[in-house]
Amino acid sequence: MDTERKRAQEKQVVHCMIALYCRRKHHTRGALCPDCAALEAYACQRSDHCPFIRTKTFCSQCKVHCYHPEMRERIRQVMRFSGPRMLWVHPVLAVRHLWETCRERFQTRRKP
């Protein structure tokens, strides 16, 4: 998979998870609230400048965490809430994300 496609896919998953979180927790419709919009912009900026995009699947699988601790905790809350619900809202994205994560774990275990 090429680098730009991986970046776009990662951004799409993050956007869908943040949108679901914002819609359910902050009761927004359509646009994100300012806090969630800032979190999404931060996540996209981190993804745009990631030097490990070729070798990693998602930020959660990365050995180096480039998120500021406060933002890392916020994105963790979003992922914890939205992750299980993504299967009902965006099943294709959720299954693809799960597949890529499992494949990455399997490949890292096989390496000596």
Side-chain angles (χ1 to χ4, degrees), residues 6-16 44 47-48:
K6 280 178 82 170
R7 273 198 177 106
Q9 182 180 347
E10 187 170 314
K11 287 179 186 179
Q12 181 184 21
V13 170
V14 168
H15 170 74
C16 290
C44 288
S47 181
D48 285 339

Side-chain angles (χ1 to χ4, degrees), residues 29-68:
R29 295 214 181 253
L32 298 174
C33 72
D35 288 340
C36 290
L39 179 62
E40 182 186 16
Y42 183 81
C44 288
Q45 186 248 345
R46 294 280 92 194
S47 181
D48 285 339
H49 295 94
C50 180
F52 305 108
I53 195 76
R54 288 188 178 152
T55 59
K56 72 175 180 86
T57 51
F58 299 101
C59 290
S60 60
Q61 303 297 319
C62 193
K63 304 276 188 264
V64 177
H65 296 290
C66 59
Y67 277 61
H68 186 270

Side-chain angles (χ1 to χ4, degrees), residues 84-99:
R85 291 163 179 84
M86 284 290 287
L87 194 56
W88 303 111
V89 180
H90 296 286
V92 174
L93 284 179
V95 170
R96 186 186 314 150
H97 182 74
L98 183 63
W99 172 259

